Amino acid sequence: MATLLDGAQQEPSPIAQPAEPDPSTVLSSAADKLDGTGEQSESGIAAPEDSRALIEWLTSGELTRSNQATWLRDLSEDGLATHAERGADDTWLVDVAGVTLVIREATGEVSAVIGTQGRTHTVPPGT
């Protein structure tokens, strides 16, 4: 009987732990929701790679839904996202190029970007 108890103590019962989402999957899913087709609508969007310029580009108000979808799909395919996790209010937080994108789960839109200093910048809705 002691042997059975020892065996039971050595094998902890499995506890369901949520797996960390794949950042590329989060980005491609967001892109699909934005354009509704699942296919790239434009060829490569020239987004800045510098975090400060990227924030300015995202918050400029000139980014269309189609451009945003293409850019997110490019990021997904290039494997540039390093981390993804659930945020508050049905959002995803995805780390890309030194910033964190706040992506609305329902629409796929980037609603905000968090800079390296932790400051949140609102991204206007795309057209």
Side-chain angles (χ1 to χ4, degrees):
M1 185 129 164
T3 307
L4 289 175
L5 291 176
D6 287 344
Q9 291 174 353
Q10 291 174 359
E11 295 180 29
S13 61
I15 298 173
Q17 302 240 347
E20 187 171 296
D22 175 48
S24 294
T25 302
V26 172
L27 292 175
S28 65
S29 175
D32 290 347
K33 288 176 184 176
L34 278 168
D35 69 12
T37 64
E39 295 182 16
Q40 190 163 333
S41 54
E42 299 177 31
S43 59
I45 300 297
E49 294 182 18
D50 169 76
S51 62
R52 180 176 290 166
L54 182 59
I55 290 169
E56 289 175 13
W57 182 70
L58 287 168
T59 59
S60 70
E62 297 176 18
L63 204 56
T64 65
R65 288 176 60 88
S66 177
N67 287 349
Q68 204 174 110
T70 300
W71 177 64
L72 291 173
R73 193 165 285 109
D74 287 348
L75 288 174
S76 170
E77 291 169 0
D78 294 342
L80 297 176
T82 58
H83 177 78
E85 65 183 62
R86 284 248 182 236
D89 301 323
D90 297 321
T91 60
W92 286 104
L93 304 176
V94 182
D95 295 339
V96 176
V99 298
T100 300
L101 303 176
V102 180
I103 300 174
R104 289 188 185 113
E105 185 175 6
T107 63
E109 281 190 294
V110 177
S111 61
V113 59
I114 303 169
T116 55
Q117 302 297 319
R119 183 171 171 217
T120 302
H121 306 266
T122 301
V123 174
T127 55

